[in-house]
Amino acid sequence: MNCNISNGGLVLKLNNQIIWTDIAGYTGTYLVESDLGPTKLTDSLFWFMNTDGKYIYYSDQRNRHGLYRLNLLSKREELLLDRPCYGLVLKDDWLFFIDEMDQKLYRCTKDGLNLSKIIDEKIIAFTAMNNSMWYTTAGGNLKRCNLSNMKSNSVLSTTAVGLIVVNQWVIFADKHQNYSLNIYNTLTQTTSTFDEIQASGINTDGRFIYCSNGKDDRSIYRIGIEDNSVIRICGEKTDFLHVIEDQLYFCNLGHEKAWYKMSLHGGQATIVSR
């Protein structure tokens, strides 16, 4: 489960290292090892970072959002596909992405070969879970595609953004309901709607949902998936929430635009970058 991708995939943990993309000054992508300060890894701007332990796969904003990979040993960057990719997801030996030119869903192997279109309709968000691909069409339908037989079926008539899936729950912000947070239970086929939360930066650790609440100056809220409990855990103005183990990484959108981290339980946030 890599729900960080729906938040841009801008922070990635590798062993005892954290890799993050500077989206405040757009100066490049950086590496932080233990308590040492950040060092620049590259001038490239990594979005939707995935790794298989040997490479980092990403969309490079500085190079027309093309599909690239970085060799972790040699630090060599390699262009895989010269087409703008969005929402890149590594699943098994395949890379899935939305082509920003036609908004269709494609996949290719990890070397950029065997490119094929797998969903031939315009989509705005997708996520993979087990053998299913969940996606939202531009026409306003939430669908599920079986990756074994590539058959799709409609689940809800809604424009679901910030889409993530954990176990039997599909979590999203409903564009047609002022981006209110929604939790859809696939077993009971019922939806819980949180009108008090205008959600962005939606993420989860499997037990709780974390998101920025636009109705409370983008403070961070934590929502229990099973009991629907709601609590504010951080009053900072935030976006791009990433869950890394027991830490929540986010971009502070206030006067000092930088990456911060804090415990998933709340408390004082500490700066990761300046």
Side-chain angles (χ1 to χ4, degrees):
M1 180 177 65
N2 184 4
C3 297
N4 292 331
I5 297 300
S6 67
N7 288 279
L10 296 159
V11 183
L12 178 70
K13 182 174 175 62
L14 282 171
N15 301 318
N16 64 337
Q17 301 173 330
I18 295 292
I19 297 173
W20 53 269
T21 304
D22 176 17
I23 54 171
Y26 297 100
T27 58
T29 300
Y30 291 77
L31 182 148
V32 178
E33 187 170 3
S34 300
D35 295 326
L36 302 177
T39 58
K40 182 181 283 191
L41 183 64
T42 173
D43 288 332
S44 301
L45 296 169
F46 291 9
W47 284 79
F48 312 115
M49 286 189 282
N50 293 258
T51 185
D52 59 4
K54 183 178 179 182
Y55 293 94
I56 296 175
Y57 303 87
Y58 59 95
S59 171
D60 186 3
Q61 181 179 346
R62 206 176 292 283
N63 289 287
R64 301 183 303 278
H65 301 278
L67 175 57
Y68 283 78
R69 69 180 179 184
L70 171 78
N71 187 306
L72 289 169
L73 184 61
S74 68
K75 301 299 187 291
R76 176 177 175 266
E77 298 176 71
E78 177 187 1
L79 175 65
L80 299 179
L81 286 174
D82 188 15
R83 55 197 304 163
C85 65
Y86 178 87
L88 181 68
V89 170
L90 172 63
K91 181 173 174 55
D92 301 323
D93 291 324
W94 293 93
L95 293 166
F96 295 83
F97 63 92
I98 298 172
D99 187 313
E100 294 186 85
M101 296 298 290
D102 64 8
Q103 293 182 268
K104 308 292 180 66
L105 187 65
Y106 292 80
R107 74 175 183 180
C108 66
T109 47
K110 292 192 293 184
D111 52 9
L113 302 177
N114 302 301
L115 179 68
S116 63
K117 185 189 301 180
I118 63 168
I119 294 178
D120 192 19
E121 56 184 323
K122 292 184 177 181
I123 67 174
I124 60 174
F126 77 98
T127 188
M129 174 58 69
N130 298 327
N131 197 42
S132 294
M133 186 70 69
W134 291 81
Y135 63 97
T136 304
T137 69
N141 285 294
L142 175 63
K143 294 186 176 183
R144 175 168 53 186
C145 175
N146 186 309
L147 292 176
S148 296
N149 55 28
M150 302 309 296
K151 291 184 178 180
S152 296
N153 65 287
S154 294
V155 178
L156 293 173
S157 294
T158 184
T159 301
V161 297
L163 184 65
I164 60 175
V165 178
V166 55
N167 299 324
Q168 75 264 33
W169 294 286
V170 183
I171 304 160
F172 59 92
D174 191 331
K175 182 179 179 181
H176 299 306
Q177 296 182 25
N178 196 28
Y179 296 95
S180 60
L181 180 68
N182 282 259
I183 305 174
Y184 175 71
N185 189 322
T186 60
L187 299 182
T188 62
Q189 298 184 1
T190 57
T191 303
S192 298
T193 301
F194 299 80
D195 292 322
E196 72 275 23
I197 299 178
Q198 185 183 65
S200 64
I202 303 171
N203 213 321
T204 184
D205 61 357
R207 181 183 177 190
F208 294 102
I209 300 165
Y210 305 88
C211 65
S212 299
N213 185 1
K215 291 189 174 181
D216 190 10
D217 200 28
R218 302 183 76 89
S219 297
I220 301 176
Y221 276 62
R222 187 181 71 194
I223 301 93
I225 295 177
E226 295 196 36
D227 63 10
N228 290 352
S229 59
V230 177
I231 184 173
R232 188 175 80 157
I233 63 171
C234 179
E236 300 290 343
K237 188 176 182 180
T238 63
D239 204 353
F240 302 113
L241 274 61
H242 290 65
V243 174
I244 306 289
E245 296 178 340
D246 61 348
Q247 298 288 315
L248 185 65
Y249 287 75
F250 59 89
C251 188
N252 188 324
L253 300 180
H255 67 281
E256 186 177 26
K257 294 181 174 63
W259 284 105
Y260 282 73
K261 69 174 181 178
M262 63 178 289
S263 168
L264 291 177
H265 305 292
Q268 185 65 38
T270 59
I271 195 165
V272 176
S273 69
R274 289 189 182 275

